[in-house]
Amino acid sequence: MAKSKFEYVRNFELDDTCLRNCYIVVRLDGRNFHKFSEQHNFMKPNDNRALGLMSRSARSVMEELEDITIAYGQSDEFSFVFKRSTTWFKRRASKLMTHVTSQFSSSFVYYWKEYFGEQPLLYPPSFDGRVVLYPSNHNLRDYLSWRQADCHINNLYNTTFWTLVQNGGLTTTQAEERLSGTQAADKNEILFSEFNINYNNESPLHKKGTTLIWEKVNETTTKQIKRPDEEETEITVTRTRKKVTSHSCDIIGDQFWDEHPDILENDQ
Ligand code: DGT
Ligand code: MG
Ligand code: MG
Ligand code: MG
Ligand code: MG
């Protein structure tokens, strides 16, 4: 087809190809979820319906898009890691980021009712997205460690804060003052000595967030077969399938990475 005289406008498009060999991380974060969580009556400090819906939406991103090897989520955010050798969408940052964010947002709305039941969705939520490149396994692991450390710090604060308010009868202002300048050890101590709560026994989902990876799982199904001149018989078929699995474990230490050596590609 002949080119029109307007064709030159294509040259105004920016080249946003991601640098080769780098892991491409897309992180998305709920827009103004402070308000969204209030308006939709999220439980404080953690709402398992909201966390479940975030994970379900992230799984949909991994299943529908290519080459995401691991995703990590907490609060209103999720990070998706594309394998460093991906050529999906020619590594164009805007394509990768917008596909992740829109697949996630539409899934969040699509699956809302499965998680929130009678609580209606009052307005269309949205998520921002950004792309960050990490050139080494070390940097990528530090990135994920940073997000998980953030989860821990916020959860310890929020757990102590809401315990002071909900069980200790403090106002939110008083709880804020009480926690001002405290270290992690002080918060653990408040929970333990005043409320008999051992933070270590709190839910792993809340302390560690959610890690999604691809794993091979055996699926057993039964099939009825009928050969000519024979009775119908039932056989069991075991197939190995790759599935997205969810983990609320430590990803800062080596154990997780030793147990799942396929997630990272070798540094060259
Ligand atoms: P942004 O991201 O700049 O548009 O603004 P926000 O308001 O989304 O701020 P952000 O992302 O730093 O903080 C997340 C907010 O979402 C924070 O106000 C707490 C709320 N949130 C997230 N998960 C939960 C939950 O499980 N329960 C409750 N009650 N609130 C949650
Ligand atoms: Mg933010
Ligand atoms: Mg947010
Ligand atoms: Mg956030
Ligand atoms: Mg098109």
Side-chain angles (χ1 to χ4, degrees), residues 29 35 79 82 87 90 104 117 121 137 150 153 162 171 191 197 209 221 229 258 266:
D29 184 284
K35 174 179 145 213
S79 299
F82 287 86
T87 53
K90 299 192 175 134
F104 189 94
L121 180 59
N137 288 344
D150 188 79
I153 293 163
W162 286 109
T171 65
L191 285 173
I197 295 171
T221 47
D229 309 322
D258 292 341
N266 285 336

Side-chain angles (χ1 to χ4, degrees), residues 6-14 92:
F6 307 118
E7 196 72 19
Y8 79 96
V9 297
R10 261 188 181 285
N11 298 326
F12 282 63
E13 288 183 19
L14 288 175
R92 287 173 62 185

Side-chain angles (χ1 to χ4, degrees), residues 29-34 76 128:
D29 184 284
R31 174 160 184 248
N32 203 357
F33 261 47
H34 179 69
D76 68 338
D128 69 42

Side-chain angles (χ1 to χ4, degrees), residues 90-231:
K90 299 192 175 134
R91 298 176 73 83
R92 287 173 62 185
S94 54
K95 291 273 188 183
L96 299 174
M97 180 178 69
T98 53
H99 272 305
V100 167
T101 316
S102 68
Q103 182 72 38
F104 189 94
S105 304
S106 62
S107 301
F108 191 92
V109 173
Y110 187 80
Y111 294 112
W112 174 269
K113 211 169 184 307
E114 264 184 40
Y115 290 84
F116 278 90
E118 294 304 300
Q119 166 66 57
L121 180 59
L122 300 173
Y123 59 89
S126 72
F127 295 83
D128 69 42
R130 72 189 73 189
V131 170
V132 195
L133 303 181
Y134 291 106
S136 68
N137 288 344
H138 180 77
N139 292 151
L140 179 72
R141 277 190 54 182
D142 280 353
Y143 169 78
L144 293 167
S145 299
W146 174 52
R147 297 324 303 145
Q148 189 166 60
D150 188 79
C151 175
H152 164 73
I153 293 163
N154 290 334
N155 191 56
L156 179 58
Y157 183 93
N158 293 337
T159 303
T160 318
F161 180 90
W162 286 109
T163 302
L164 286 168
V165 173
Q166 291 163 350
N167 307 350
L170 267 60
T171 65
T172 51
T173 315
Q174 287 168 335
E176 207 176 309
E177 279 165 9
R178 178 77 202 279
L179 292 179
S180 151
T182 55
Q183 303 290 309
D186 305 320
K187 296 183 190 77
N188 275 303
E189 184 57 25
I190 292 173
L191 285 173
F192 193 69
S193 59
E194 294 178 35
F195 301 98
N196 203 21
I197 295 171
N198 183 342
Y199 183 75
N200 290 331
N201 298 336
E202 290 292 290
S203 146
L205 170 64
H206 302 160
K207 286 186 299 186
K208 303 289 181 196
T210 303
T211 302
L212 301 179
I213 54 173
W214 287 103
E215 281 188 296
K216 288 201 182 87
V217 288
N218 289 330
E219 268 189 352
T220 310
T221 47
T222 54
K223 263 190 189 163
Q224 311 284 340
I225 54 162
K226 169 134 178 44
R227 295 198 182 87
D229 309 322
E230 272 181 42
E231 291 276 290

